[in-house]
Amino acid sequence: MLHDVVIVGAGPVGATLALALCDADLDEDVLDARLAGAPTRGDRSLALSHGARLVFERLRVWSALAATPGAVTPITSIDVSQVGGFGMTRLAASEHDLPALGYVVSHRALQATLDAALARANVAVRFGMAAKHVGGASAYAAVTPADAHAEVLTARLAAVADGSGAIVAGIRRERRDYGQVALTAKVFVDHAHGGCAHERFTADGPMALLPENDHYGLVWTMTPERAEQVLALSDDEFLRRLGAHFGTRVEGFTRVGERRTFPLALEVARPTTGARVVVLGNAAQALHPVAGQGFNLGLRDAFELARAIIDAPRDSIGERPMLDAYARSRAADRLAGIGFTHGLVHVFGTDAPFVRWTRGVALTLLDVVPPVKRAFTRAMLFGWR
Ligand SMILES: Cc1cc2nc3c(=O)[nH]c(=O)nc-3n(C[C@H](O)[C@H](O)[C@H](O)COP(=O)(O)OP(=O)(O)OC[C@H]3O[C@@H](n4cnc5c(N)ncnc54)[C@H](O)[C@@H]3O)c2cc1C
């Protein structure tokens, strides 16, 4: 049987695509290697842009997510500063007449909400089914399950949102290792965070504190060797080092939860489309978390792809002109998001005195030149188009 679309991977990006397509008169099939109802491994804080909220509102997911206790925390301001250098800036939602600049969302709560929304919309996800290979020909794409007894799925278009794109034939992936890891943990303070997120540039690399529920979600980048030492510290010593990095900008750290590390690399698929195949989300681009752009970019991939599929006559779904038009529609936002994140890692990830000075000038300019600040904040809120 020839489906219109097979979606491989119902993580946050694949699930968003499936929901965006569910009201269209299309035959979609969705599979995910996860077992039904299994919680995602570990949890992490995701910073969602205001634009991401608008997408979830249209898909009728936002209200359910916001109603989950502790799942969504509004970011009302962002404080950007550097250790050992001048210059800081504060972006505030009130300057843009918005309730929030963005939202910190629990990855696990978001996935559970999306899974429930798919079930409510009668989108049957084949949980526990991993794909082993995705290949396309001129007439259809074929998705081969890892289970040798399961049938090969064919579709006009295979949309791969499996987080890596490694099983797709004909799509090359460039990887650039940053030689850094992100250490994540929940950290608690002796006062209310007031919805303020902190981005701090240090000799180790950038650090972020995201306000989440009754604590902060910490993302601290550093070399793998340094991470091994920091993982081995006692809780008290860990909190003391953290406090030393934040100085007077954030004080009163009291408690830290489980610490985990993730390797950091930039991975970019070139191109993102092949014969009857498209990769999206982390399968198209996996970014350093410094700017919190990864999922936001993936969400816009899913929304634009759904629009391209719905707008195409059924016979044209997955054909070259449709895929080229989709790739063109995503090119500017994607390149700007990748370039901005990569640039931040370089400009803000090194600690040479000249770089520290340039950084100070950039932060000061951002703070005192209103049009620059507005343009920067708008890009953080809605993307780069
Ligand atoms: C430390 C850290 C902090 C981050 N912070 C932010 C942030 O603040 N803001 C932000 O926007 N982004 C952030 N990100 C990035 C964000 O987590 C990812 O961009 C996002 O999770 C990607 O979603 P995805 O659906 O593309 O892929 P994934 O989340 O990887 O989901 C892939 C899905 O595909 C399934 N799957 C995998 N292989 C197969 C297969 N072979 N067959 C079938 N199914 C399969 C999996 O079970 C899973 O459900 C962060 C990342 C890290 C590491």
Side-chain angles (χ1 to χ4, degrees), residues 2 30 37 88 124 148 180 204 218 248 250 286 317:
L2 185 67
V30 188
M88 65 81 59
Q180 283 199 316
D204 281 342
L218 167 71
T248 54
V250 186
I317 293 173

Side-chain angles (χ1 to χ4, degrees), residues 136-293:
S138 58
Y140 61 87
V143 175
T144 310
D147 177 354
H149 301 294
E151 55 166 347
V152 173
L153 305 172
T154 55
R156 296 179 202 278
L157 176 66
V160 179
D162 66 346
S164 81
I167 56 172
V168 182
I171 291 188
R172 205 160 46 87
R173 212 171 153 80
E174 287 171 12
R175 182 183 161 91
R176 184 162 178 171
D177 204 321
Y178 287 121
Q180 283 199 316
V181 299
L183 184 150
T184 64
K186 290 181 177 179
V187 292
F188 295 78
V189 283
D190 61 7
H191 57 276
H193 52 58
C196 182
H198 296 265
E199 186 90 47
R200 184 102 166 128
F201 297 99
T202 76
D204 281 342
M207 306 172 76
L209 281 177
L210 301 173
E212 185 175 25
N213 199 8
D214 59 350
H215 59 271
Y216 284 110
L218 167 71
V219 183
W220 185 353
T221 54
M222 60 185 85
T223 61
E225 298 75 31
R226 174 75 67 122
E228 271 185 34
Q229 295 164 7
V230 174
L231 283 173
L233 295 175
S234 68
D235 286 1
D236 284 348
E237 183 55 19
F238 179 87
L239 293 173
R240 203 192 57 71
R241 296 258 185 115
L242 187 62
H245 275 298
F246 276 94
T248 54
R249 302 219 77 80
V250 186
E251 293 175 303
F253 292 104
T254 55
R255 192 153 61 83
V256 56
E258 190 198 350
R259 297 166 232 168
R260 304 174 66 213
T261 56
F262 300 84
L264 294 177
L266 169 67
E267 292 192 24
V268 181
R270 292 191 204 277
T272 54
T273 61
R276 301 256 168 205
V277 176
V278 55
V279 292
L280 68 160
N282 266 33
Q285 63 274 317
L287 309 185
H288 191 296
V290 62
Q293 294 289 307

Side-chain angles (χ1 to χ4, degrees), residues 47-52 291-301 330 333:
L48 298 195
S49 66
H50 183 71
Q293 294 289 307
F295 175 58
N296 292 291
L297 212 49
L299 194 62
R300 297 197 288 274
D301 286 348
R330 294 297 303 132
D333 185 34

Side-chain angles (χ1 to χ4, degrees), residues 40-62:
T40 49
R41 202 167 46 85
D43 196 8
R44 78 172 69 134
S45 319
L46 287 182
L48 298 195
S49 66
H50 183 71
R53 171 184 175 154
L54 299 182
V55 169
F56 283 138
E57 279 179 356
R58 279 174 82 160
L59 298 179
R60 299 183 293 276
V61 167
W62 185 257

